[in-house]
């Protein structure tokens, strides 16, 4: 072999020496013959070369597992005497520092594990066990648990529906088969509560999820399957979120169609457009005004001015008079309509448009087509699917004479790097412990990034306003999820409330006034932050007063509290916003209707509302808000469960007002969702919607979706004593 032409003489020599040395070692003669100048061998990580090294217990794992091993002589790199190879650290360690391995788990030197009433300590790579004299096997496991030599996945009510893929197991206390842990105790699986957003709910309890209600049954939720309204938003930069939850930004200074149902030449009901203007030197734009078109009416919401109402110059003669209501609630002006569209504007840069499901696939504009698919939201006015937000937005300009939107802009914090540190510090409030209760239901990271963008970009004197708006946008998202955060304070977006109002992080979006004091309108909008009247007071002429201070309205005339009029031969006194009459009536009973809170009527010019909180701004409809006229109204309409009684429809029918489809009448005569109806139990007691109660010891009933449903529950055996 050494005589081959390409053989290395030195390598050949070392091979021969090594073979001879090994023969000597096998005969018990170990020779350390290698040296720096004679066939040297290099070892790393603290290991040394051995001509006859051991083959057993060379690693900490081998020591711990104590597998049968026949010792042999083998040359190679080994740890020095008294040390072993530690796989975890990749070095040689003293045997006293070796970890222990047990059923796939690693225990560091000195760490202990329990084997019933034995405490086993990791020492020199193996466990040394001793009795725990203070241990009692009978009381070792509590809460119904039993000792198990291999606990793979500790099943609880929270994770019982999740597939367990164990990688190791440990000894310990565990619940017997068929039971799981809940509150430190073992319970049968069918007695587990339901969980939603970190909270537990007992069987029979009901929660509201979006527009649906869910009932806990046997640890799982049973929910109604209604299609819910969708919300499109624009705020700050502006940052857009479509009805189908697609997020995008673009930077254009023009008026744009936000949403409309005049799509593909179809005859529509509404159009919402926004006007964006520059608010930063780097090309950033913000929303300045909002315009809502409803049939024959245009409502123009302009920052710094009262709502302006004008006639729609493009209305057709056949268009009906628009029906709508404008209310001030907290920070927002809210436009409500009976057409399934409502709008909220914070009189700044935040706009929210809400649509009922009947508009699914029927709308277009920057808010998308609301068909449940976010990927096709970038449909242009021409019906083409765009990839770039800029091109998509340009197609929805109201005036094509406006300049096209800017191409991709430099990040404002790169344009104004001196603002970055302040922006990061200020915006970090959304990720702080103050907003911690909301983090589980609304991710703060996207809002933080947009907040930093706006705080850097608004450099024309409105930087604090842009920051406050960005944080307020996250606050509203939290309110939508049922988590109210009181975050405003002195030095950070504080609010000064006037006229007796007080700041609330989650106030009603349907405030009571003297003119709707006795109405029971169902509030379809989540709570809003801002200045609200204290509990026990109502709004009137921009101030908060008690109901007893409310005036009354009779025949279009306002009556002060305590003022007396004679109506239909009765003596009527104005008390708490309504007439209290005594004596017998001499005429057919009539009703008085609160007059609108605005005297503005659409004209050919622009008329500005004179009242700060206008109600209806169109002629009173034939039917009240929420109802529709019918030539044949049923004498036995659908009503809430608590009102249900035997009723026989007479022959023929009369015209009248009926609830919209899917609604029922409540005790006040208003149309409500069946999910909001109260029920009457067998004992005649009124139960709130979603309320659960024990009908018998083993039967739980719930008022849900306008009916009472009862279910048998697991209960303990009942022992009856014999009566003599």
């Amino acid at each position: 072999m050494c005589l081959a032409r390409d053989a290395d003489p030195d390598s050949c020599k070392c091979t021969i020496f090594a073979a001879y040395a090994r023969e000597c070692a096998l005969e018990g003669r170990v020779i350390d013959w290698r040296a720096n100048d004679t066939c040297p061998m290099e070892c790393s990580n603290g290991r040394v070369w051995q001509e006859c090294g051991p083959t057993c217990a060379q690693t900490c794992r081998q020591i711990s597992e104590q597998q049968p091993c026949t010792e042999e002589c083998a040359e190679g790199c080994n740890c020095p005497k008294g040390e072993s190879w530690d796989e975890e650290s990749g070095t040689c360690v003293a045997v006293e520092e070796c970890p222990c391995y047990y059923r796939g788990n690693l225990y560091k030197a000195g760490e202990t594990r329990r084997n019933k009433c034995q405490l086993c300590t990791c020492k020199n790579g193996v466990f040394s066990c001793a009795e725990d004299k203070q241990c009692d096997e009978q009381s070792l496991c509590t809460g119904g648990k039993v000792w198990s030599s291999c606990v793979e996945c500790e099943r609880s009510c929270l994770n019982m529906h999740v597939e367990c893929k164990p990688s190791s197991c440990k000894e310990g206390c565990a619940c017997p088969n068929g039971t799981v842990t809940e509150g430190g105790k073992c319970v049968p699986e069918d007695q587990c509560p339901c969980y939603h957003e970190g909270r537990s709910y007992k069987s029979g309890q009901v929660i509201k999820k979006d527009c649906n209600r869910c009932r806990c049954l046997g640890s799982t939720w049973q929910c109604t399957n209604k299609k819910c309204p969708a919300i499109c938003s624009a705020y700050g930069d502006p940052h857009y979120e479509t009805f189908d939850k697609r997020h995008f930004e673009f930077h254009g200074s023009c008026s744009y169609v936000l949403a409309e149902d005049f799509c593909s030449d179809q005859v529509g009901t509404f159009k919402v457009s926004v006007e964006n203007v520059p608010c930063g030197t780097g090309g950033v734009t913000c929303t300045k005004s909002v315009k809502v078109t409803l049939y024959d009416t245009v409502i123009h919401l302009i920052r710094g001015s009262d709502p302006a109402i004008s006639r729609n110059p493009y209305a057709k003669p056949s268009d009906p008079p628009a029906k709508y209501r404008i209310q001030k609630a907290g920070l927002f002006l809210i436009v409500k309509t009976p057409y399934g569209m409502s709008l909220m504007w914070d009189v700044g840069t935040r706009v929210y448009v809400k649509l009922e499901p009947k508009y699914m696939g029927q709308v277009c504009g920057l808010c998308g087509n609301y068909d449940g698919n976010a990927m096709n939201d970038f449909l242009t006015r021409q019906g083409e699917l765009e990839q770039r937000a800029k091109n998509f937005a340009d197609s929805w300009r109201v005036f094509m004479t406006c300049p096209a939107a800017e191409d991709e802009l430099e990040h404002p914090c790169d344009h104004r790097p001196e603002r970055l540190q302040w922006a990061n510090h200020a915006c970090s409030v959304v990720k702080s412990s103050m907003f911690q209760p909301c983090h589980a239901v609304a991710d703060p990271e996207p809002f933080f990034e947009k907040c930093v963008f706006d705080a850097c970009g608004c450099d024309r004197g409105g930087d604090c306003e842009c920051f406050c708006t960005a944080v307020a946008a996250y606050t509203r998202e939290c309110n939508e999820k049922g988590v109210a955060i009181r975050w405003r304070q002195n030095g950070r977006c504080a609010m000064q409330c006037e006229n007796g109002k007080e700041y609330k992080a989650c106030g009603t979006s349907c405030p009571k006034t003297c003119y709707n004091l006795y109405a029971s309108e169902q509030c379809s909008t989540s709570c809003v932050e801002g200045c609200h009247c204290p509990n026990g007071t109502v709004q009137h002429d921009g101030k908060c007063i008690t109901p007893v201070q409310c005036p009354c309205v009779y025949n279009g005339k306002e009556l002060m509290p305590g003022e007396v009029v004679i109506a239909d031969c009765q003596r009527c006194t104005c008390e708490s916003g309504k007439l209290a009459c005594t004596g017998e009536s001499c005429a057919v009973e009539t009703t008085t209707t609160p007059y609108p809170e605005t005297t503005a009527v659409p004209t050919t010019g622009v008329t500005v509302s004179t009242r700060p909180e206008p109600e209806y701004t169109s002629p009173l409809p034939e039917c009240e808000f929420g109802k529709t006229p019918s030539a044949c109204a049923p004498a036995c309409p659908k009503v809430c469960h608590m009102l249900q009684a035997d009723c026989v429809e007479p022959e023929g029918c009369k015209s009248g007002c009926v609830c919209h489809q899917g609604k029922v009448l409540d005790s006040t005569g208003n149309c409500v969702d069946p999910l909001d109806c109260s029920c009457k139990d067998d004992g005649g007691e009124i139960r709130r919607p979603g309320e659960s109660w024990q009908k018998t010891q083993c039967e739980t009933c719930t008022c849900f979706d306008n009916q009472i449903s009862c279910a048998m529950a697991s209960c303990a055996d009942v022992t009856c004593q014999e009566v003599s």
Side-chain angles (χ1 to χ4, degrees), residues 552 554 557-567 570-575 579-582:
C552 304
Y554 178 69
K557 179 184 176 183
E558 187 172 86
L559 306 178
M560 300 308 295
E563 192 170 347
V564 177
V565 295
I566 303 299
Q570 292 181 302
R571 179 183 174 87
C572 301
T573 305
C574 178
E575 297 179 359
L579 293 177
C581 301
T582 58

Side-chain angles (χ1 to χ4, degrees), residues 2 55-56 122 158 281 291 312 424 428 497 530 550 620 658 705:
C2 292
T55 55
C56 298
C122 178
L158 189 59
T281 58
K291 186 180 290 186
N312 178 12
N424 276 324
S428 64
C497 297
C550 280
L620 289 175
V658 298
D705 199 16

Side-chain angles (χ1 to χ4, degrees), residues 114 116 136-155 170-176 181 184 186:
R114 179 176 289 278
K116 287 190 177 180
D136 177 13
E137 284 196 20
Q138 300 299 321
S139 60
L140 183 62
C141 295
T142 59
K145 295 183 179 181
V146 296
W147 185 264
S148 173
S149 61
C150 183
V151 181
E152 294 180 325
C153 298
E154 187 173 7
R155 298 176 70 241
K170 290 186 177 182
E171 301 154 299
C173 296
C175 288
T181 59
C186 298

Side-chain angles (χ1 to χ4, degrees), residues 679-687 691 693 708:
C679 304
K680 183 185 289 186
D681 65 17
D682 294 342
E685 185 174 349
I686 303 301
R687 301 290 184 175
E691 182 181 354
W693 66 95
I708 293 177

Side-chain angles (χ1 to χ4, degrees), residues 462-473:
D463 49 355
C464 288
E465 181 184 354
C466 289
F467 157 69
C468 295
T469 297
V471 179

Side-chain angles (χ1 to χ4, degrees), residues 115-141:
N115 180 13
K116 287 190 177 180
C117 283
Q118 285 187 326
L119 287 177
C120 301
T121 304
C122 178
K123 185 177 181 181
N124 295 333
V126 295
F127 281 107
S128 175
C129 298
E131 292 292 329
D132 181 2
K133 296 181 180 180
Q134 298 180 345
C135 174
D136 177 13
E137 284 196 20
Q138 300 299 321
S139 60
L140 183 62
C141 295

Side-chain angles (χ1 to χ4, degrees), residues 385-441:
L385 189 61
E386 263 291 347
Q387 298 299 317
R388 299 182 63 195
K390 171 191 176 300
N391 297 342
F392 163 65
D394 280 341
S395 77
W396 288 107
R397 285 176 290 175
V398 175
F399 308 107
M400 290 302 166
T401 54
C402 288
E406 298 280 350
D407 286 319
E408 196 70 28
L409 291 179
E410 180 184 19
H411 194 288
C413 294
D414 294 334
H415 179 67
R416 296 293 300 274
E418 73 278 5
R419 302 174 66 85
L420 178 60
Q421 184 176 357
W422 170 79
N424 276 324
H425 172 73
C427 295
S428 64
V429 65
V430 301
K431 298 197 290 185
S432 69
S433 58
M434 178 182 294
F435 280 89
Q436 184 66 41
C438 184
H439 291 169
V441 296

